[in-house]
């Protein structure tokens, strides 16, 4: 445990006497062993309300827990959660056939000087939602931003995206020269079922980022319903991400947005344990919210990047010319204290790679973290730290990573970051849930070539950070709530505790049993012998305003 007295000491043992804790921000149900009545159950209030989410009704949850306990031995139900945001997967062919669907995607891909796409990750991530709409006969009106244009800026046109988008979808995508207006309306009117029209950059209008109601109304007038699949902009209340939802119903989440919530809320809030977070980056100030939020959830917290030198100096160590935020020294001390109080094993690097200047060709050497000489600066974590971090990660079942361990843009100081990426890839192959929380961490795993083996790579930079911090995402809040789910609980087979009922599209009004991984789904986490085998560590319905259960 890194304490105020010993910044380079390591401990994987909890500092508190409690051997088992549940720090999930979802509703927690803790059945008492002394009584089988529901009145003996205690629960924690949800903290997801700031995200626009909330847990199940407490009294109803207690009833469900009590019923589940009656099925036999075990520790009972840990949590009951259901996503309240309607998904595009909830819309059938009958809902979509011939309908004009306004899809807000995040196609903000990097282009080189010749307007060639250098990384098509975001385009590929948007394909599943678009293909689902095409398959079901919808008329897709696709919108996105690109770059940060100031008015109409040709170099930020979406035209270079059309060939690759058409190739991935297997159809010819039509491109509009504007995002609103008579010409766009004509193109929409001529769009066939299963066709795709790509609007021009929505940020060519200043009214987009101002979330101007009249502009939002013009965008919405093109369509019958709305799908938001742009997680990267879900933290912005813009006309195409929030404003249009006031005029288009239903307004639902796309598959990508839903997956992001599954991992960044679901897997993080109720993870397989031990749960570790790796947080890097140059400044403590940019990660304060993330660190404070994760301290409520994780078992192990590994810190790297430039921020570690603020922690070192706060503990009286010499840091040479390393980056330090002088006004955050008290904060660093406070965070160390919080980690100790919460029983979180906070690990700081025991050695660092230092350089005589900030440059790719700088002279470098490895020194203990407590022995950085004057005139030298730390630019990466050292080999002993890599070894210790790896040993800590070997004990885990869930890992989230946000931020590099050093200046990985310089090959000489990328070793620590690349080692973390390779370790996560190794653990992912062993069944550990690995979540890359956006930003430079994504660039790091792509550079190493291990992106494809990670459990989830977030497409959002700022959105990922804000979600991990517990901030509201306007683009998520604006979406429709899901239809209440009726759940039947029964004893018997291993699947007996997670069958849901939903109206069959073939036989309207007739309940039909649907498997656990259908949409929407219910997850009842149980802990004892004879319990049903749990699903994956994600929840398709994590963002819960409420959970409606019919116990029968």
């Amino acid at each position: 445990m890194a304490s105020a007295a010993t910044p380079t000491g390591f401990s994987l043992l909890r500092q508190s006497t409690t051997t088992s804790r549940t720090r999930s921000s979802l509703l927690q149900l803790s059945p008492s062993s002394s009584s089988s009545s529901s009145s003996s159950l205690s629960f924690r209030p949800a903290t997801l309300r700031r995200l626009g989410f909330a847990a199940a009704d407490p009294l109803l949850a207690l009833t469900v827990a009590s019923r589940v306990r009656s099925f036999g031995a075990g520790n009972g139900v840990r949590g009951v959660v259901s996503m309240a945001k309607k998904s595009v997967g909830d819309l059938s062919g009958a809902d979509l056939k011939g309908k004009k669907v306004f899809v807000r995607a995040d196609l903000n891909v990097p282009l080189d000087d010749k307007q060639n796409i250098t990384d098509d990750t975001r385009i590929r991530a948007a394909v599943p939602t678009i293909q689902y709409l095409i398959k079901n006969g919808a008329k897709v009106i696709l919108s996105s931003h690109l770059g940060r244009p100031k008015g109409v800026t040709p170099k930020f046109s979406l035209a270079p995206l059309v060939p690759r988008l058409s190739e991935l979808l297997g159809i010819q995508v039509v491109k509009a020269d504007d995002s609103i207006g008579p010409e766009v309306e004509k193109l929409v009117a001529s769009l066939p079922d299963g066709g795709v029209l790509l609007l021009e950059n929505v940020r060519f209008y200043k009214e987009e980022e101002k979330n101007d109601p009249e502009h939002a109304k013009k965008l919405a007038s093109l369509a019958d319903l709305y799908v938001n699949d742009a997680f990267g902009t879900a933290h912005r209340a813009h006309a195409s991400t929030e404003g249009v939802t006031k005029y288009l119903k239903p307004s639902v989440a796309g598959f990508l947005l839903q997956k992001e919530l599954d991992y960044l809320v679901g897997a993080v809030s109720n993870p397989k344990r031990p749960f570790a977070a790796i947080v890097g980056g140059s400044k403590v100030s940019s990660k304060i919210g993330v660190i404070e939020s994760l301290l409520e959830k994780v078992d192990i917290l590994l810190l790297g990047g430039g921020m570690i030198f603020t922690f070192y100096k706060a503990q009286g160590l010499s840091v040479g010319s390393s980056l330090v935020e002088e006004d955050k020294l008290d904060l660093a001390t406070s965070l160390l204290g919080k980690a100790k109080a919460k029983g979180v094993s906070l690990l700081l690097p025991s050695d660092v790679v230092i350089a005589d200047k900030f440059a790719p060709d700088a002279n470098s050497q490895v020194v203990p973290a407590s022995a950085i000489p004057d005139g030298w600066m730390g630019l990466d974590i050292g080999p002993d730290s890599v070894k210790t971090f790896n040993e800590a990660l070997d004990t885990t079942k869930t890992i989230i990573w946000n931020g590099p361990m050093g200046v990985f843009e310089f090959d000489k100081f990328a070793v620590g970051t690349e080692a973390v990426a390779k370790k996560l890839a190794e653990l992912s192959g062993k069944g550990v849930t690995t979540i890359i929380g956006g930003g430079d961490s994504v660039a790091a795993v792509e550079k190493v070539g291990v992106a494809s083996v990670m459990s989830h790579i977030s497409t959002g930079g700022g959105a990922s950070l804000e979600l991990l911090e517990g901030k509201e995402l306007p683009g998520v809040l604006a979406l429709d709530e899901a239809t209440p789910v009726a759940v039947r609980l029964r004893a018997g087979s291993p699947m007996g505790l997670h069958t849901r009922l939903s109206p069959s599209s073939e036989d309207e009004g007739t309940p039909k049993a649907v498997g656990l991984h259908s949409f929407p789904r219910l997850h009842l986490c149980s802990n004892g012998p004879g319990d049903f085998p749990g699903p994956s560590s994600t929840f398709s319905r994590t963002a819960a305003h409420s959970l409606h259960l019919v116990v029968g």
Side-chain angles (χ1 to χ4, degrees), residues 90-95 502-512 514:
D90 297 327
L91 303 179
S92 66
D95 298 319
S502 72
S504 165
S505 58
E506 293 85 4
D507 187 5
E508 201 167 303
T510 302
K512 181 176 89 169
V514 180

Side-chain angles (χ1 to χ4, degrees), residues 1-2 36 58 209 215 303 306 311 380 402 505 521 528:
M1 175 72 192
S36 61
E209 294 181 82
H215 186 69
L303 297 183
F311 283 89
D380 196 10
N402 184 282
S505 58
R521 79 180 180 222

